[in-house]
Amino acid sequence: MKRFCVKTEAAVPREYTVCGDGWRISVLENRLIRVETGETCDLPTQCVWYRKPLSVKFDVKKQGRITVIATREAEFYFNASSKKITAIKLKDGRVVRNFSRGVLPGTRRTLDMTDGKARLGKSVVSKNGVAVLDDSRSLVLKDDKIEQRGKCSDKYYLAFGNDYREAIRALYRITGFTPLLPRFVLGNWWSRYKAYTQDEYVGLMRKFIDKKIPVTVATIDMDWHWVDVIRRFGKDAKAVPTDNAIDRVVYASMPGWTGYSWNTELFPDYRAMLDYLNVNGFKVTLNLHPAQGVRFFEDRYKEVCGICGVDPASRAPVPFSLKSEKYLQAYFDVLHRPYQHEGVRFWWIDWQQGRNSDVKGLDPLWALNHYHTLDMRDEGKRAVILSRYAGIGSHRYPLGFSGDSAMTWRTLDFQPYMTACATNVGYTWWSHDIGGHHRGYKDDELYLRWLQLGVFSPINRLHSTSNEFMGKEPWNTSKATERSAIDYLRLRHRLIPYLYSMNRLTATEGRALCEPMYYSYDCKEAYKAKNQYAFGTQLVVAPITRRTDPKTKLAHTALWVPENEIYTDIFTGRKYAGGTYEIYRDVEDFPVFAKEGSVIPLYKDALNNSLAPDKPLEIWIYAGDGGFELYEDDGDSLDYEKGAFCTTSISVGRSDKRLIVRLSSHGDLSLLPKGREITLAFRDVEKAVVSGGEAKTVDGEVRVTFVYDGKDKEIVLDDCEYDTGKPYSEEVIKTVSKYQCPNIKKYAFFRFLGGVLDSGAGIPSRYYGPIKEIQKMRTFLD
């Protein structure tokens, strides 16, 4: 079926290959080679689609049985006897012989049934400098077919040293880049495994609207279709046994796991519901479990039978098949596309039935991800799915669904680490069950901390199982938690201009939204900061993943600030110079930091689901030298591939007491809204003389508002008075005041500190929070 063909460049020109008896080496880049033994392959594989070499020059030398391939950045030593790469010399002089040592963690297929830490697979980046991508077990793509390959060893050696970002870009160059996501996926998602009625679901979405909580994706779990099939359709509707032990258990207890027909008892007029959701700015996704094929009770059973050659009078199941072109045609044209035309924007492929299919060696999860993505593009839509990870190359099929995890602090603590590590295999768009799926316990603080993490994660998808006490509705928490949760959900929606621009950076340059700190800083402190991560080019997150101390009423986390840099907490305004800290926060505050010169574009408000291009913008600016490129297109179509997009460069430069901000737009300027209002919020400027816009001071920061029409614009702030951070003594007093203990002890503690509060004791008070004093306080007061 031509819709499943992909355009690839898989064959390597002979001038870029070195061959011998039973082996072939392809030089793809200065730091990337492919080594094949056994049967060679010039077709794309499930993982690698592109092998067109970059313009690379190399020399080949013979040293006995050793063949040395030398580029300007690496030397690869190949033993013709063992048919293996035995050593690689890097540009910095390191010689690497052990290619499994130092490999950094990657990701995993799912977090289903996990509670806390889970083992992560290997990645394609290594502290040792060399990592290996083994593609030997991939099937090959031949036109629209997926076929077996001959017996072989097929390995790619990535010798990028500690330039991890460039290693991932090289991975994308051979596997394909992550596609540009639609704008709506970057807002808030509502999801719950619950048998809603139509009135309940519409009522729930109306409540989000009434409470002015923006939600851009409405998920309906598996109960959208018939589930209690034996009660409704008789014992012949039972699930078909398979050779998978898990299947047998699941389908014995829930024969309606697979379904394609709306449950009209719950949703008597589902089309009206879909219309309501779409009109009000909710994009809809439905849950799929395709393993059981199509049974007689499905609305479109006869149509499927007609395509697949089954007599509908037999009432025989039409089995799920990846081998049958006719089944795949029916699967998409009959079972899915009609619903898409009625208002279902995309699908949640909840495949849990193992890795076996009727095509030997073909993982059904990978195949479904692949086929659904290509089918959506065939319909002219920007492809997006929600599915589990199926190995390296899965980044072409975002988004990732990490599965059903436990509602515990242990699980929360693991998720930021897992999300950042997934960048090491190029899988940058994980979506977790924010708040946890099942088990665990009800804890408003845990809920809020998880939601805060979700706001500063790739995808913020609130989800839970059907248990009445596990729902993630903000109004099912305490009033204080509800207020804070709503504020954070609105903040997530406001962040969409920033997130969407980073989305484009991922699609074009391979830059992940969430990166481990060691991508930018190759030092031991960066590797130790396991839960800390860069959130786009402008922000750094050090999430709090542990509960509040009952005595201090504060929770803490670790923060590492690189040498010669200053981080400003975007919520508290506290500033931190280079060093390692233990920082403390109230439950309402989440540690997110802007670097000097950061430029962060946001919607000015977020009281509804609107993604309209003319929404006013508020751009946060932190004093320093920096900039940002704001990306805009229609948000959902493929027109951007034809040049229908524009970018606005926003630069900021500091010279002592002067700040200059410049805006300059390029590309299809017809996409820029006419007369859009922009407010520049100078987050650490308290006073200034402003030219270029209407200025006022709000909550201690200078704000400049103007109408932007795409023409070059310059805003100048002179005589700036900068916020240098709260006084050191004020921070300590504020923190100690919260400690729950006898006041006489607090007084004694201050005497214990001596003159520290008054003098600062040599500590740079502009950038130093109450770190060591907290530790002293706990020792003294406890």
Side-chain angles (χ1 to χ4, degrees):
M1 301 174 68
K2 293 189 179 299
R3 78 178 72 166
F4 300 133
C5 292
V6 292
K7 295 179 180 180
T8 62
E9 298 174 88
V12 179
R14 292 186 62 184
E15 62 266 29
Y16 290 94
T17 64
V18 181
C19 302
D21 184 14
W23 57 270
R24 179 174 71 175
I25 299 176
S26 302
V27 184
L28 304 179
E29 300 187 20
N30 285 310
R31 296 181 284 182
L32 172 62
I33 66 169
R34 179 195 191 194
V35 179
E36 298 171 273
T37 62
E39 186 172 320
T40 58
C41 176
D42 289 328
L43 292 170
T45 68
Q46 289 176 283
C47 181
V48 177
W49 288 5
Y50 308 99
R51 303 191 191 99
K52 183 178 180 181
L54 297 183
S55 181
V56 52
K57 295 181 180 179
F58 62 94
D59 295 321
V60 181
K61 305 173 186 177
K62 296 286 187 178
Q63 298 178 359
R65 289 192 172 273
I66 302 297
T67 297
V68 182
I69 297 172
T71 72
R72 62 183 176 85
E73 295 192 55
E75 294 179 3
F76 301 87
Y77 293 78
F78 179 76
N79 187 313
S81 297
S82 63
K83 298 179 182 177
K84 292 181 179 180
I85 294 288
T86 57
I88 297 176
K89 185 176 182 180
L90 304 175
K91 186 177 182 180
D92 61 13
R94 281 184 288 171
V95 177
V96 181
R97 293 184 173 86
N98 185 340
F99 306 128
S100 61
R101 190 176 68 185
V103 176
L104 291 163
T107 193
R108 59 184 284 125
R109 189 178 181 97
T110 179
L111 291 179
D112 277 342
M113 308 308 292
T114 61
D115 183 359
K117 294 180 181 179
R119 186 174 181 179
L120 301 177
K122 292 184 177 181
S123 75
V124 295
V125 299
S126 173
K127 290 177 69 175
N128 214 23
V130 177
V132 181
L133 169 60
D134 190 343
D135 196 35
S136 307
R137 300 182 67 181
S138 276
L139 305 183
V140 297
L141 309 183
K142 188 174 183 180
D143 297 323
D144 59 345
K145 303 288 193 307
I146 301 174
E147 299 182 350
Q148 302 290 319
R149 65 192 298 185
K151 188 176 182 180
C152 69
S153 171
D154 186 2
K155 296 181 179 180
Y156 295 79
Y157 291 81
L158 294 91
F160 287 84
N162 302 117
D163 189 353
Y164 306 133
R165 201 173 287 137
E166 189 56 39
I168 296 302
R169 273 196 284 266
L171 174 70
Y172 287 153
R173 284 192 286 269
I174 63 175
T175 60
F177 276 70
T178 301
L180 186 69
L181 298 173
R183 185 185 285 115
F184 65 81
V185 305
L186 300 172
N188 298 307
W189 295 39
W190 175 258
S191 179
R192 190 175 181 188
Y193 178 26
K194 176 179 169 63
Y196 289 104
T197 67
Q198 182 168 331
D199 288 344
E200 280 180 318
Y201 200 82
V202 170
L204 174 65
M205 295 300 106
R206 188 177 293 120
K207 191 165 185 176
F208 279 114
I209 293 172
D210 292 344
K211 285 183 170 287
K212 296 181 171 55
I213 303 173
V215 174
T216 54
V217 177
T219 303
I220 307 178
D221 212 311
M222 61 177 292
D223 289 286
W224 69 271
H225 61 73
W226 298 109
V227 173
D228 191 0
V229 295
I230 294 178
R231 175 189 65 81
R232 181 167 180 89
F233 303 109
K235 62 181 181 180
D236 292 343
K238 65 183 180 181
V240 179
T242 73
D243 60 357
N244 184 294
I246 296 176
D247 285 0
R248 290 196 293 271
V249 173
V250 170
Y251 291 127
S253 61
M254 190 173 289
W257 206 257
T258 298
Y260 300 100
S261 306
W262 280 88
N263 181 336
T264 52
E265 291 178 357
L266 296 177
F267 303 96
D269 189 355
Y270 74 86
R271 293 181 182 87
M273 181 184 70
L274 293 176
D275 288 344
Y276 173 85
L277 293 173
N278 279 280
V279 166
N280 284 280
F282 301 95
K283 299 296 184 180
V284 180
T285 181
L286 303 181
N287 178 279
L288 293 177
H289 290 86
Q292 281 294 307
V294 185
R295 285 170 279 177
F296 71 89
F297 56 80
E298 302 288 2
D299 295 345
R300 295 185 171 94
Y301 174 71
K302 289 184 179 180
E303 295 173 71
V304 172
C305 288
I307 293 174
C308 295
V310 175
D311 180 7
S314 70
R315 306 211 324 168
V318 181
F320 174 80
S321 174
L322 294 172
K323 181 186 294 184
S324 169
E325 289 187 12
K326 291 182 177 180
Y327 183 81
L328 289 174
Q329 178 187 346
Y331 179 82
F332 288 104
D333 292 348
V334 176
L335 299 177
H336 292 88
R337 282 194 174 186
Y339 290 146
Q340 291 167 204
H341 298 160
E342 291 174 341
V344 177
R345 176 57 180 85
F346 67 105
W347 300 92
W348 171 10
I349 306 168
D350 198 359
W351 182 269
Q352 301 175 7
Q353 285 73 43
R355 301 170 188 262
N356 297 325
S357 69
D358 59 354
V359 176
K360 185 178 180 181
L362 179 59
D363 181 352
L365 174 62
W366 182 91
L368 286 166
N369 295 349
H370 178 73
Y371 288 144
H372 270 278
T373 297
L374 294 180
D375 182 72
M376 274 187 275
R377 284 192 60 87
D378 186 64
E379 277 216 301
K381 294 182 178 179
R382 203 178 295 188
V384 61
I385 57 173
L386 182 65
S387 187
R388 287 172 172 78
Y389 176 74
I392 293 178
S394 293
H395 60 268
R396 295 184 301 252
Y397 318 118
L399 304 159
F401 163 51
S402 68
D404 301 341
S405 55
M407 195 186 300
T408 65
W409 286 96
R410 292 186 297 273
T411 300
L412 171 61
D413 185 57
F414 179 68
Q415 286 189 355
Y417 176 71
M418 176 188 174
T419 304
C421 285
T423 299
N424 295 334
V425 287
Y427 199 68
T428 64
W429 290 110
W430 266 124
S431 167
H432 301 298
D433 284 3
I434 297 302
H437 177 76
H438 56 188
R439 303 203 306 264
Y441 36 81
K442 172 76 173 186
D443 183 333
D444 280 3
E445 184 184 2
L446 174 61
Y447 165 79
L448 185 56
R449 289 300 188 199
W450 219 320
L451 176 56
Q452 291 166 344
L453 176 66
V455 169
F456 292 96
S457 293
I459 302 297
N460 188 35
R461 181 176 53 85
L462 281 71
H463 183 74
S464 72
T465 190
S466 59
N467 185 304
E468 290 299 332
F469 304 105
M470 290 188 179
K472 300 305 185 296
E473 299 93 338
W475 50 85
N476 285 343
T477 62
S478 69
K479 286 296 182 182
T481 301
E482 178 186 359
R483 286 193 297 269
S484 188
I486 291 173
D487 286 344
Y488 275 97
L489 288 166
R490 289 173 181 165
L491 176 60
R492 174 67 186 202
H493 196 86
R494 292 187 65 201
L495 280 166
I496 288 176
Y498 177 72
L499 298 170
Y500 194 63
S501 299
M502 292 307 307
N503 169 33
R504 194 248 185 166
L505 206 57
T506 298
T508 57
E509 298 183 20
R511 179 73 180 263
L513 174 63
C514 295
E515 281 186 344
M517 295 302 290
Y518 48 75
Y519 270 55
S520 297
Y521 309 95
D522 186 24
C523 61
K524 63 181 181 180
E525 291 85 359
Y527 291 97
K528 288 181 178 179
K530 291 186 176 182
N531 261 23
Q532 184 176 322
Y533 56 91
F535 189 66
T537 55
Q538 311 294 297
L539 297 172
V540 172
V541 181
I544 290 177
T545 56
R546 62 191 73 185
R547 67 173 70 250
T548 292
D549 185 287
K551 288 190 174 181
T552 64
K553 300 300 181 182
L554 299 170
H556 71 279
T557 189
L559 170 67
W560 171 67
V561 182
E563 189 177 353
N564 299 320
E565 294 194 22
I566 296 172
Y567 285 0
T568 301
D569 188 313
I570 68 171
F571 294 109
T572 68
R574 296 179 189 173
K575 296 178 179 291
Y576 297 86
T580 301
Y581 304 94
E582 185 172 318
I583 60 174
Y584 292 75
R585 292 292 183 271
D586 288 312
V587 69
E588 295 87 0
D589 294 327
F590 194 63
V592 180
F593 303 89
K595 307 171 187 177
E596 289 182 293
S598 286
V599 176
I600 306 160
L602 308 94
Y603 291 139
K604 192 171 184 178
D605 61 59
L607 301 179
N608 54 46
N609 298 348
S610 173
L611 298 170
D614 61 348
K615 284 176 69 71
L617 295 181
E618 180 174 291
I619 301 175
W620 291 356
I621 294 176
Y622 290 84
D625 296 311
F628 189 79
E629 187 168 85
L630 176 67
Y631 174 79
E632 296 178 279
D633 60 19
D634 66 20
D636 201 10
S637 81
L638 298 173
D639 290 348
Y640 72 93
E641 296 180 344
K642 303 172 186 176
F645 65 87
C646 64
T647 60
T648 300
S649 175
I650 308 164
S651 67
V652 56
R654 175 178 177 177
S655 177
D656 194 20
K657 292 189 175 184
R658 166 174 275 208
L659 282 177
I660 301 177
V661 177
R662 295 186 175 92
L663 287 80
S664 180
S665 295
H666 307 278
D668 186 353
L669 300 186
S670 68
L671 294 170
L672 288 177
K674 304 300 181 185
R676 178 168 62 187
E677 181 184 278
I678 293 180
T679 297
L680 305 182
F682 294 88
R683 304 279 284 175
D684 46 12
V685 179
E686 297 178 331
K687 292 182 181 179
V689 177
V690 179
S691 60
E694 180 184 341
K696 60 182 178 179
T697 301
V698 180
D699 296 330
E701 66 182 32
V702 173
R703 291 173 172 250
V704 181
T705 301
F706 54 91
V707 173
Y708 184 65
D709 58 5
K711 296 179 182 178
D712 289 359
K713 179 75 175 177
E714 182 176 274
I715 304 291
V716 179
L717 275 67
D718 281 312
D719 298 327
C720 294
E721 293 184 16
Y722 299 106
D723 176 12
T724 58
K726 296 178 181 178
Y728 177 69
S729 58
E730 181 181 331
E731 290 292 336
V732 175
I733 292 171
K734 180 180 177 181
T735 302
V736 176
S737 294
K738 294 186 177 184
Y739 206 94
Q740 309 295 295
C741 74
N743 290 324
I744 190 67
K745 280 193 173 184
K746 293 185 182 181
Y747 178 73
F749 171 66
F750 273 76
R751 293 189 64 186
F752 169 75
L753 284 180
V756 171
L757 289 178
D758 295 327
S759 69
I763 299 170
S765 60
R766 286 179 58 192
Y767 309 124
Y768 200 92
I771 310 306
K772 293 181 179 178
E773 273 50 57
I774 287 280
Q775 297 162 353
K776 291 177 184 177
M777 175 183 70
R778 292 175 63 86
T779 300
F780 187 86
L781 299 181
D782 286 345

